[in-house]
Amino acid sequence: MDTRRKSARATTLLAALAGIAAAALLLGVAELAAAFFTARATPVIALGSTFIDFTPGWLKDFAIATFGTGDKAALFVGMGLTITALAAVLGITAYHRWVLGAVGVTAAGLVIVASVLSRAGASTYDALPSLIGTAAGLLALRLMIARLPAARAVPSDSAPSDSGPSDSGPSDSAPAGMASSPAAARALPGASSRRSFFAAAGITAAAAAAAAAGGRALGSVRNSVEAARRSLRLPAPASPAPVLPAGLEAPVDGVVPWLTPNPDFYRIDTALSVPQLDVDTWELRVHGMVEEEFTLTFDDLLEEDLIERHITLTCVSNPVGGNLVGNAKWLGYPLRDLLRRARPLRGADMVLSTSSDGFSASTPLPVLLDGRDAMLAVAMNDEPLPLEHGYPVRMVVPGLYGYVSATKWVVDLEVTRFADRTSYWTDRGWSEKGPIKTMARVEVPRSFGKVAAGTVQIGGTAWSQTRGITRVEVSVDDGRWEEVTLAAEASVDTWRQWHHEITVGPGSHTVRARATDPADGVQTDERADPVPNGASGWQSVQFTAS
Ligand SMILES: Nc1nc2c(c(=O)[nH]1)N[C@H]1C(S)=C(S)[C@@H](COP(=O)(O)O)O[C@H]1N2
Ligand SMILES: [Mo]
């Protein structure tokens, strides 16, 4: 074999190697990102499940029969070999035709995304780690390929080129199309090219290993926190939640459940990665303008008399008709009891709560003492708080938007004055005070939905925490306001469902809704954006009847 052909072989091998290194980086970075964002499904595991789904039955039976309990290991070995082979082919493809290779890598990335999204409980957000990994893999592949001699220089096995230079650099006579090949554009001559390639490949492999190890480490911390959370025994409440009345839910299909299941509860926070707190070391420091400063451990907290209440949380960023609102049963230590123990000094008017990740909220002190069920919550719907919802302890204050009250992963309470201290969102232009505005929401029919003409069931939810809902009215096609039927009310701190029957002919229609609370009357029709203290206005929903 002549040297030229030998070197062509070697270059092809290096391209394959580049593909494999890039694939390793893709998966490593995806795993790291998944651990970092605490995605519900991690890319490699999701891919493994997809792999199982597509493994023919006879092969599965064979694997179980042959490997027994080692069948999972066999799965990952099989998957590893498949990925390696595919990555090698994609590396070689990318070397010869970059675009084709890049399309192949992207397609492989999308297979991982599809695997992740098809797992139970996954949200679209969980696609992010795989996409980040794919971008990293593509970038690394491009950088490595660019360090190989131009593809033109590599004669094919059957018809060795007699004109091109070997691996001594890009050909002057390369066709115009070659300019788009990174190899042609960036190849370095001879040995320095090889060295530079191996440097790039080495860095890629090292980065892949580091990312995978980092993902592992992060994942195991998370698993141990999750395991601790699962094994946590919560005490019975000294004051259980009032018995729920019958008829809390409007008899209309499509109205959201009255009690929001934890996995469906909206999540809003500034935490890039979910804090992983340990109940054994968690402490809450209570200090500032108080007669008695103290520190609570998690065990201290559980020994207090806990209350259990249904409370509807709302985000100030919720647009009119939006879904940044949820209703759960919370178990916690009343903040008025904690403050009674601390004995705030005269002049104090605010409690600044701070989370382990540096978020803070400023809550008016009078609100925490006025008798409402503000609490340091440890459980949500009979479970320890989910990690994303503030495990192990968060604040819940009926009637205030979350940004001024609902600090998750809370570790510090400072009794102070609005004149002295500010908080995360008030520093960014949002109002100091954030009482929740009265709001009626139309859930059925859906916006731009289609219904059959004739009798149409409509329904939704209304809230006015701490005040309650006494009436909801709707107006169809700008007609007179009609009072709807209210479902039962659990408490003034929870939302309330409503429903109504209307009759419409074929065509396009609008339905508007507005709620009344006993303190403030009819909700304002004045349109306001969420900034600086919550959206207002009557929601209007368009739908078509046919
Ligand atoms: N630590 C921390 N707590 C936080 C936030 C945050 O960014 N960080 N966001 C607040 C806001 S704006 C809202 S609306 C609620 C949302 O709580 P949830 O994610 O449990 O629904 O949490 C509040 N608590
Ligand atoms: Mo919020």
Side-chain angles (χ1 to χ4, degrees):
M1 192 193 288
D2 66 47
T3 51
R4 191 183 287 168
R5 219 201 270 183
K6 229 186 240 166
S7 111
R9 281 256 164 96
T11 308
T12 302
L13 205 67
L14 294 185
L17 204 69
I20 295 167
L25 185 73
L26 186 159
L27 290 171
V29 167
E31 285 295 293
L32 177 63
F36 192 71
F37 292 120
T38 62
R40 295 181 210 217
T42 87
V44 171
I45 301 298
L47 197 57
S49 309
T50 301
F51 211 74
I52 293 176
D53 294 345
F54 284 93
T55 305
W58 61 265
L59 188 54
K60 267 186 234 176
D61 296 343
F62 169 80
I64 292 169
T66 314
F67 304 110
T69 53
D71 63 341
K72 293 284 180 302
L75 163 79
F76 283 109
V77 169
M79 193 166 98
L81 291 175
T82 309
I83 291 173
T84 306
L86 193 71
V89 169
L90 284 176
I92 296 168
T93 307
Y95 173 62
H96 288 285
R97 295 271 312 270
W98 167 252
V99 173
L100 216 59
V103 166
V105 173
T106 307
L110 291 180
V111 168
I112 305 177
V113 167
S115 304
V116 166
L117 293 185
S118 67
R119 294 301 127 199
S123 71
T124 41
Y125 176 73
D126 293 337
L128 217 60
S130 308
L131 293 176
I132 294 172
T134 304
L138 270 175
L139 185 71
L141 185 60
R142 173 113 192 164
L143 291 178
M144 287 183 284
I145 296 280
R147 282 162 174 76
L148 290 175
R152 229 328 138 84
V154 182
S156 78
D157 265 2
S158 53
S161 155
D162 55 3
S163 57
S166 59
D167 62 348
S168 60
S171 161
D172 295 334
S173 60
M178 290 294 292
S180 72
S181 154
R186 308 251 298 270
L188 305 168
S192 96
S193 152
R194 281 275 160 88
R195 255 201 312 279
S196 147
F197 171 82
F198 280 116
I203 290 171
T204 302
R216 266 273 166 114
L218 256 180
S220 71
V221 170
R222 178 174 168 235
N223 285 343
S224 67
V225 173
E226 182 55 41
R229 171 183 174 269
R230 284 222 191 100
S231 63
L232 203 65
R233 291 271 149 270
L234 292 166
S239 166
V243 177
L244 293 176
L248 282 169
E249 302 210 317
V252 176
D253 272 355
V255 170
V256 303
W258 182 81
L259 192 73
T260 313
N262 291 352
D264 299 341
F265 207 95
Y266 80 95
R267 173 184 163 198
I268 294 284
D269 53 61
T270 59
L272 208 48
S273 78
V274 175
Q276 317 283 323
L277 302 186
D278 179 353
V279 282
D280 294 329
T281 53
W282 178 88
E283 279 184 349
L284 180 74
R285 188 172 161 228
V286 180
H287 64 113
M289 297 175 65
V290 293
E291 280 179 38
E292 194 197 330
E293 298 194 340
F294 55 91
T295 300
L296 281 181
T297 66
F298 192 69
D299 284 338
D300 293 340
L301 197 61
L302 295 192
E303 272 167 26
E304 300 290 348
D305 285 346
L306 304 186
I307 60 172
E308 187 180 53
R309 298 288 184 266
H310 291 92
I311 297 167
T312 300
L313 291 194
T314 311
C315 181
V316 69
S317 298
N318 196 36
V320 171
N323 53 18
L324 299 179
V325 50
N327 183 47
K329 184 170 79 176
W330 308 94
L331 171 74
Y333 177 40
L335 277 157
R336 58 171 175 275
D337 293 347
L338 176 141
L339 289 165
R340 195 174 294 144
R341 185 174 149 194
R343 296 194 308 273
L345 299 178
R346 193 185 296 274
D349 63 0
M350 186 256 272
V351 173
L352 184 70
S353 51
T354 306
S355 70
S356 66
D357 65 324
F359 170 87
S360 58
S362 43
T363 310
L365 181 61
V367 159
L368 299 176
L369 299 171
D370 71 1
R372 73 182 76 190
D373 293 317
M375 63 172 99
L376 285 173
V378 294
M380 179 177 184
N381 292 332
D382 297 314
E383 280 179 32
L385 293 177
L387 267 51
E388 318 81 79
H389 292 290
Y391 176 85
V393 183
R394 75 172 302 169
M395 289 192 21
V396 171
V397 181
L400 297 188
Y401 288 122
Y403 82 107
V404 287
S405 69
T407 304
K408 306 190 272 189
W409 315 290
V410 65
V411 292
D412 191 285
L413 295 181
E414 179 184 352
V415 178
T416 177
R417 306 192 310 162
F418 278 106
D420 296 340
R421 307 280 270 131
T422 55
S423 62
Y424 190 89
W425 286 114
T426 60
D427 282 341
R428 288 163 176 77
W430 295 74
S431 297
E432 211 165 65
K433 304 279 160 65
I436 296 173
K437 295 179 181 177
T438 303
M439 186 60 65
R441 184 174 74 181
V442 180
E443 292 159 12
V444 180
R446 300 239 161 267
S447 191
F448 301 112
K450 292 187 172 35
V451 300
T455 309
V456 176
Q457 300 293 330
I458 64 177
T461 308
W463 56 86
S464 176
Q465 292 92 317
T466 69
R467 302 176 294 271
I469 294 291
T470 45
R471 190 189 322 163
V472 171
E473 297 158 287
V474 296
S475 156
V476 180
D477 298 332
D478 290 326
R480 67 177 183 85
W481 287 98
E482 300 170 43
E483 196 167 339
V484 306
T485 307
L486 291 177
E489 177 181 70
S491 88
V492 293
D493 294 336
T494 55
W495 58 15
R496 190 166 186 186
Q497 300 196 350
W498 60 268
H499 66 107
H500 195 56
E501 197 174 275
I502 58 174
T503 306
V504 294
S508 170
H509 301 280
T510 59
V511 53
R512 282 188 301 161
R514 65 183 191 190
T516 297
D517 77 60
D520 304 337
V522 178
Q523 86 179 67
T524 177
D525 66 341
E526 199 178 301
R527 286 243 144 214
D529 283 336
V531 193
N533 60 10
S536 68
W538 298 336
Q539 189 191 358
S540 179
V541 166
Q542 263 189 60
F543 64 99
T544 311
S546 55

